[in-house]
Amino acid sequence: DGKKMKRVIGFLFGMALLVVTACSDGHRVKRLSDVPYETVTAGLYTMMPGEMYCAGDYIVWTDPFSTEGFLHVVDRHTGHELAAWGRIGEGPEEFNTPSVSYTRSPHIVVSDLNKPLCATLQVERCSADSVHLIARWNQVNLQGYLSCLSVGNNLMLAFSPEGRHPFALIENGGKVSETGEFPVEGVDNGFEAFQGKVTYLASRGRLLYSLYAFPYLALYDCRDGQLALLHESGGEEGYTVKNGQLQTDADARRGFQDAALTRDYVVGLQRDETVEGKVPVHVQGRDPKALPHSLFVYDGSLKPVCILNLDVPIVRLCGDGASNELYAVVVNPEYSIVKIDLDALFAANGI
């Protein structure tokens, strides 16, 4: 079946090459190259994969270019696609700008950022090769936000890079409070400066905010409708602020293109310029040459653990909150989902 995703196992055995380097703060961190990974699913049928989540026994990824079946459910153990769901359109149960999040098994939440529509999907396993998605529909107004996550029963957390605070808590469709902090105060062009990725790990009550423009991570405790900042990393350099306008420095490192949480680690997708060099000036758009190959791994206090240098460009990340298994979409040469077992990798390399 051409619509079925094939599972290809491409496990690269052996110990990764280990090099010790120093961070800008003097902390010595190990760099691993030839990182082993296992190919879970090869040949994703998309021009560019969108969001990706580890949802219990499943990997959920979205295709922002698809108008029919934009949400895909894949068995993370076999690599088989089990279901495709969701339509783009103007109908009563069709989405304009869907935003997907995962709460606790077996629920996936799909919200619309441009009209008051939200679907909570319950995943029911039908057979080894299929699941049934049962949708419960309601109305939540998320206009004006760039992304939204389900962080509790009838509780959403919406993200906007402009305003006094980055996050709004929305309960039963109505705003409760604004919360969180931006890394720099006195910035008027926050829409450009503070865009980033927001990731939530329900099993541990952790919320991660990572920036695209310059290196910055913020880890929050997020439970029972309360948000408390735990740790920050970066945010002090790589830009200048003049007359309320934040401008990134031309030669400074860029931020994280994606980020993920596992049980014990924070992982950021970022170009390791020491190994990869800077992005070639003539490269733009979805050219794989512009994509980073490196993963920056931090502990639960955002202290650097190591840098993983893969041999393939990386597009998306997601983590398993019950383990330290990390999943990524890579270009190899087609879009594929791969798994990295951080526990096994670190044990083999004395980390």
Side-chain angles (χ1 to χ4, degrees), residues 180-232:
E181 301 296 335
F182 291 114
V184 187
E185 296 180 350
V187 173
D188 297 328
N189 62 330
F191 186 83
E192 295 82 14
F194 298 142
Q195 289 196 34
K197 173 71 178 291
V198 182
T199 304
Y200 177 59
L201 190 60
S203 60
R204 300 185 66 82
R206 292 292 183 265
L207 185 88
L208 179 68
Y209 174 33
S210 57
L211 248 61
Y212 299 144
F214 54 90
Y216 174 75
L217 296 170
L219 188 64
Y220 290 83
D221 184 272
C222 180
R223 307 169 198 257
D224 302 321
Q226 300 294 321
L227 207 64
L229 180 63
L230 297 174
H231 306 285
E232 291 178 288

Side-chain angles (χ1 to χ4, degrees), residues 20-30 297-299 302-307:
V20 178
T21 187
C23 295
S24 58
D25 61 1
H27 181 90
R28 294 178 68 80
V29 62
K30 295 178 178 180
V297 183
Y298 303 82
D299 66 13
L302 297 184
K303 296 283 193 301
V305 174
C306 67
I307 302 171

Side-chain angles (χ1 to χ4, degrees), residues 184-190 193-194 238-249:
V184 187
E185 296 180 350
V187 173
D188 297 328
N189 62 330
F194 298 142
Y239 59 86
T240 57
V241 179
K242 185 177 180 180
N243 297 325
Q245 300 297 299
L246 187 148
Q247 298 293 330
T248 54
D249 300 337

